Amino acid sequence: MEPEQKVPVREIFKVFFIIGATGFGGGMAIVSLIQRVCVEERKWVTLEEFMHGLAFGQILGPFSLNTSTFVGYYLRGVVGGVIAAVGFISPSFLLISLLSWLYFKFHNLPQLQSVL
């Protein structure tokens, strides 16, 4: 089933970036957030299609990322899937990169060593 609307790739990235930045509580909590945003609020995907994507996403690896990729793929094909996955992962990647940089820059401080 093809989506009725052609969602801009920029919008897909933005939505999944926000989901990745604000989603807490583990895989199923994030999947319910994806469902609320993509099925109920934006109506990008029907509930039936979303459930098929969720079931497929549970086969391999982290299913919240797989579900994000499925929604992006459903909306815009391979490019949409990649954009949704990159948007979903980017907040975590950026935060870990920043914390790693701060750690390596300031790891000699006695205050930081006592905290760690």
Side-chain angles (χ1 to χ4, degrees), residues 51-100:
M51 291 307 204
H52 286 294
L54 176 60
F56 183 70
Q58 290 181 4
I59 294 172
L60 298 170
F63 56 92
S64 56
L65 174 61
N66 292 345
T67 304
S68 300
T69 305
F70 170 79
V71 172
Y73 179 81
Y74 179 82
L75 294 172
R76 293 298 297 259
V78 174
V79 172
V82 170
I83 292 297
V86 169
F88 183 73
I89 291 172
S90 291
S92 299
F93 175 78
L94 293 172
L95 180 61
I96 293 300
S97 296
L98 174 66
L99 291 174
S100 297

Side-chain angles (χ1 to χ4, degrees), residues 19-116:
I19 290 171
T22 60
F24 295 99
M28 284 311 294
I30 294 172
V31 166
S32 68
L33 178 60
I34 295 169
Q35 178 187 343
R36 183 172 54 90
V37 171
C38 296
V39 175
E40 297 167 14
E41 292 175 6
R42 296 184 179 267
K43 298 186 185 340
W44 285 349
V45 183
T46 66
L47 182 59
E48 181 181 2
E49 287 292 329
F50 183 81
M51 291 307 204
H52 286 294
L54 176 60
F56 183 70
Q58 290 181 4
I59 294 172
L60 298 170
F63 56 92
S64 56
L65 174 61
N66 292 345
T67 304
S68 300
T69 305
F70 170 79
V71 172
Y73 179 81
Y74 179 82
L75 294 172
R76 293 298 297 259
V78 174
V79 172
V82 170
I83 292 297
V86 169
F88 183 73
I89 291 172
S90 291
S92 299
F93 175 78
L94 293 172
L95 180 61
I96 293 300
S97 296
L98 174 66
L99 291 174
S100 297
W101 177 79
L102 288 172
Y103 173 76
F104 284 113
K105 183 155 179 74
F106 299 110
H107 73 278
N108 290 328
L109 290 175
Q111 298 88 345
L112 183 60
Q113 289 178 353
S114 66
V115 169
L116 297 176

